[in-house]
Amino acid sequence: MKRAKRIVWKVFPFEMYDLESIQSWLEDRAKEGLFLQGFILRWAKFTVGTPQTIRYRLEPAAEAEPDKEKLDLYAQYGWDYVATWSNEYYIFMADDENARELYTDPHTLAIPMRKRLRSRCFWTLFGAVFWLANLVGLFVAAFWNGYPLLNWIQAGTIQCAIVVILLLIEIFSLVGQFAHYSKLKTSLKKGKPIRSGAVYGKQVRRWYLSFAATMILIISLLFYPVFLGNQETGMQLPEYEGNLPFLQISDFEEEPLQIGGFFYDGCDQGNYLVWQSDVLAPKQWKLTQLADTVPPRADGGGFYWVEYYQAKSSAIASRLGYELLVKYPRSEGCKEEILSLGEDIYGVYSQTEGKQYLLLQKDTQVEMIYYNGNVSLKPLASEYLQAWERS
Amino acid sequence: MRKEFRGPLTETMFYILMALQSGPLCGIEIAERIEKRTRGRIRMGPGTLYTILSKFAEDKWIREIQVTGRKRTYGITQLGTTVYLEEVQRLRQCLEDAQEEQE
C-alpha cells in the first residue's frame, strides 16, 4: 500500500470505555484518506493517502507493545499492529475485507478486559467518592461555625462557585465513566460484540464540551485573582485618606479624655484597615483598632473592631447581620436589647463586663462593632448610621 | 492440585481442547483443525485464539512444547485433558436430558 508522507494531527476525542466510537472514528478517517500512525497524549497522528476501507480493532494492552508471537499470529490473519494508545489499548488494522474478525467470540475479549475494567470501575468510583467527600467537607466546613455566608463571601463567591462547579463536573464525569465501564463489562460478559459503524457525533461533542469546561474552570481558578482581583487589600489607618463608612475611636473620643477611657493615638501598629469586594457584598471593610488608656497601661489598652458590609440585596444584608451575631457570641448574662432606630433599621446592642457589641442593618448595609472601652456605643448608633452616607 | 473448574467452557474453548487431543499443534493449526472439524461453522479469529491459548497456558491446561522462530506449538496437559473430559461428560449429560425430555 503506497501512502503519501504528509502528516496530519487530530485531537482524539474519546474516553477509554468507548471502543465502538473509537473504532468507527478511525475507520471514517481512513475513508477520508487519513491513516493512523500513532499518538502523543490526546493527539492522533495520521498520514495522508488514498481513501480506503480499513477495519480498526482495539484490545487491551498488557505492555507498551504486543509480543512478537501475537504480532505474527495476527499478521497471518491479515491484522497489522498500528499503535498503542495511552498504554491502554493496542490498535490493529486490516485492509483486507476478507480478513476474519479479530475476536470471533466476544466472551474472550472479556478475559483480558476483566482486570482492566475492574480496576477502572474501582478508581472511577473511588475518585467520585473522594471528590464528593471534598465537596461535602467544604460545605460542612462552611456551615460548621454557623456563619456560612460570611465564610462564602470572604473566600469569594466566584472562586467558591468555580470550585463547586469543578467538583460537580469531576464527580458527574467520574460517575458517568463508572457507569460506562460497568456497562462495557456486563456487555462483554454477556458476549455482545463490539459493533462497527457506531454513530459517535454525540460522544465527540460531549468530550469537547467536558474538556473545554474543565480547561476554562482550571484556567479561571488559576488566574482569577490576576484578572478580577477579588483580593483583600489593606493599609495602616493613618495612611488611609478616603472616607470610611463607619466611625473609629477618634470619632467618639471625649475631650478632655476621661481617666480610664480609651483613646486612639494614631500609632501605626494594630490600626489596620482592610477591604475587599465580592459579587454578593461589593463593599467589605474591616478595621482593627488598638486603643490606649488614660493614663497608658502596661497591658496595652483596649480593642475596637468593625466589620462593615454593603451587600447586593437587603436579604443578603439581613442574613449577614444574623451571622455576625452568631460570629460574635455574647457572654452569658449580657444585657441585649433591640434598638428602635427607625423604620427598616435593625439594631442590636449588648453589653457585659466592659465589652460592647452593636449590630446595625439597614437596606443593603450591615455593620458589627465590638468595643471594650468605656464610651457607650448605644447612643452612637444613629451616628454610625449617618457615617454610612460618607462612603 | 488443579484449579477448581468453574463451569461450562465456551464453545471455542471446548474446541481448542478437543483439537489438542490429537497431539501438539501451533495456533494456526488449531484454528484450521477446528474450522475443518466444524465444517466451517467456527472460524476462529486470532484475538480469540490468542487470548484463549494464553489463558489456558496460565491455567496450566496446555503448555508450550516447542518454539521454532515465532511459531509456538502447544500440547494439552493432564489437567487440560481432565477438564476436557469433564466437559464432554457434561455435554453428554445435557444431550441425554434433552432426549429424555423429548420422549
Side-chain angles (χ1 to χ4, degrees):
Chain A
M1 196 177 355
K2 199 175 175 183
R3 286 175 196 157
K5 292 201 173 177
R6 195 158 74 86
I7 302 292
V8 170
W9 292 89
K10 280 186 174 289
V11 175
F12 194 60
F14 297 100
E15 295 295 344
M16 289 173 183
Y17 54 78
D18 209 353
L19 297 177
E20 289 179 357
S21 296
I22 294 171
Q23 290 178 176
S24 303
W25 186 78
L26 291 171
E27 288 167 3
D28 286 352
R29 298 294 76 75
K31 283 177 192 162
E32 293 171 357
L34 298 175
F35 303 95
L36 182 71
Q37 295 298 306
F39 295 95
I40 293 182
L41 300 174
R42 276 285 175 181
W43 291 89
K45 181 185 173 186
F46 295 90
T47 49
V48 181
T50 312
Q52 207 176 339
T53 300
I54 286 182
R55 276 183 290 163
Y56 285 95
R57 293 293 177 265
L58 276 70
E59 66 167 40
E63 292 164 4
E65 285 189 2
D67 62 50
K68 301 287 181 198
E69 185 199 4
K70 176 183 274 195
L71 288 178
D72 200 39
L73 181 68
Y74 283 24
Q76 289 178 65
Y77 282 90
W79 288 92
D80 296 322
Y81 167 70
V82 183
T84 302
W85 178 46
S86 190
N87 284 330
E88 289 288 334
Y89 293 116
Y90 299 137
I91 299 179
F92 292 92
M93 57 156 278
D95 51 13
D96 177 3
E97 60 180 24
N98 295 318
R100 77 178 53 167
E101 196 52 54
L102 206 55
Y103 281 87
T104 45
D105 179 1
H107 280 112
T108 51
L109 185 56
I111 295 170
M113 288 287 271
R114 192 182 302 146
K115 201 175 169 187
R116 186 169 306 258
L117 287 175
R118 201 185 300 141
S119 157
R120 283 271 162 193
C121 282
F122 172 79
W123 285 111
T124 49
L125 198 61
F126 177 83
V129 170
F130 174 78
W131 290 117
L132 185 64
N134 271 271
L135 187 62
V136 171
L138 280 178
F139 277 93
V140 168
F143 279 88
W144 190 257
N145 48 20
Y147 39 93
L149 187 58
L150 278 167
N151 291 331
W152 180 272
I153 63 169
Q154 199 152 5
T157 297
I158 292 180
Q159 287 97 328
C160 289
I162 286 172
V163 169
V164 169
I165 291 169
L166 192 62
L167 286 173
L168 285 174
I169 287 176
E170 194 64 30
I171 290 164
F172 280 112
S173 163
L174 286 165
V175 168
Q177 285 183 38
F178 170 76
H180 282 291
Y181 281 119
S182 302
K183 194 176 158 190
L184 179 62
K185 197 165 72 171
T186 312
S187 137
L188 287 174
K189 207 184 270 181
K190 284 181 180 170
K192 284 188 185 169
I194 306 291
R195 290 182 302 124
S196 259
V199 180
Y200 50 78
K202 194 175 160 188
Q203 283 84 340
V204 170
R205 282 194 295 277
R206 193 189 299 155
W207 186 88
Y208 274 113
L209 190 71
S210 160
F211 182 75
T214 308
M215 285 297 116
I216 289 168
L217 287 166
I218 290 171
I219 290 167
S220 307
L221 199 64
L222 288 175
F223 294 101
Y224 180 79
V226 178
F227 293 137
L228 302 172
N230 188 21
Q231 287 173 312
E232 201 173 72
T233 316
M235 62 169 60
Q236 296 295 334
L237 186 61
E239 293 166 14
Y240 187 76
E241 291 174 352
N243 289 322
L244 291 177
F246 42 80
L247 304 184
Q248 48 180 301
I249 291 178
S250 56
D251 290 325
F252 53 85
E253 276 174 1
E254 290 183 21
E255 292 291 346
L257 294 170
Q258 291 182 333
I259 298 297
F262 282 173
F263 70 94
Y264 169 60
D265 62 1
C267 66
D268 289 347
Q269 291 178 343
N271 295 293
Y272 204 72
L273 183 69
V274 293
W275 60 91
Q276 70 181 122
S277 182
D278 182 71
V279 175
L280 299 181
K283 286 185 178 175
Q284 300 174 44
W285 295 81
K286 283 173 197 162
L287 172 66
T288 317
Q289 217 171 5
L290 285 178
D292 215 338
T293 52
V294 182
R297 272 193 345 226
D299 61 6
F303 189 71
Y304 180 71
W305 172 258
V306 177
E307 278 193 50
Y308 168 86
Y309 299 88
Q310 195 168 67
K312 201 72 182 167
S313 73
S314 55
I316 295 171
S318 191
R319 173 69 201 181
L320 286 173
Y322 169 78
E323 292 192 1
L324 283 167
L325 286 172
V326 175
K327 187 177 174 183
Y328 293 91
R330 277 77 64 211
S331 52
E332 259 183 62
C334 76
K335 292 173 188 168
E336 186 166 293
E337 57 182 300
I338 308 287
L339 303 177
S340 303
L341 298 167
E343 204 176 328
D344 300 331
I345 300 172
Y346 180 67
V348 178
Y349 174 74
S350 66
Q351 183 183 21
T352 179
E353 296 166 359
K355 295 174 188 172
Q356 298 177 69
Y357 297 91
L358 178 64
L359 177 86
L360 297 167
Q361 190 247 316
K362 182 187 177 187
D363 296 333
T364 58
Q365 296 179 88
V366 61
E367 182 175 349
M368 169 59 100
I369 306 113
Y370 164 80
Y371 178 53
N372 64 354
N374 60 357
V375 175
S376 174
L377 291 179
K378 188 178 165 185
L380 293 170
S382 54
E383 283 187 45
Y384 273 102
L385 290 169
Q386 284 168 19
W388 288 358
E389 309 298 329
R390 300 192 307 212
S391 66
Chain B
M1 282 294 284
R2 90 171 178 89
K3 284 184 184 176
E4 194 180 338
F5 178 52
R6 291 182 180 182
L9 298 173
T10 65
E11 191 177 43
T12 42
M13 287 175 170
F14 176 71
Y15 273 104
I16 287 174
L17 291 180
M18 185 196 285
L20 290 170
Q21 291 299 309
S22 58
L25 297 170
C26 71
I28 288 193
E29 289 168 342
I30 293 171
E32 285 172 352
R33 184 175 283 262
I34 292 171
E35 195 173 335
K36 196 176 166 190
R37 163 64 61 202
T38 60
R39 288 169 288 281
R41 187 173 61 82
I42 296 177
R43 296 179 75 234
M44 202 174 289
T48 292
L49 180 63
Y50 187 85
T51 304
I52 295 177
L53 289 176
S54 301
K55 187 185 182 321
F56 282 1
E58 194 183 317
D59 291 348
K60 297 189 169 44
W61 292 3
I62 62 172
R63 64 187 172 87
E64 271 181 20
I65 301 288
Q66 196 182 5
V67 180
T68 314
R70 288 180 175 182
K71 184 179 169 185
R72 287 167 196 245
T73 306
Y74 297 93
I76 195 161
T77 61
Q78 186 58 48
L79 175 57
T81 304
T82 309
V83 171
Y84 170 70
L85 292 175
E86 278 177 9
E87 185 66 1
V88 169
Q89 183 57 37
R90 190 188 67 80
L91 291 171
R92 191 175 284 139
Q93 190 62 54
C94 287
L95 199 59
E96 282 174 13
D97 292 344
Q99 281 169 345
E100 276 178 29
E101 190 67 28
Q102 277 182 342
E103 284 164 10

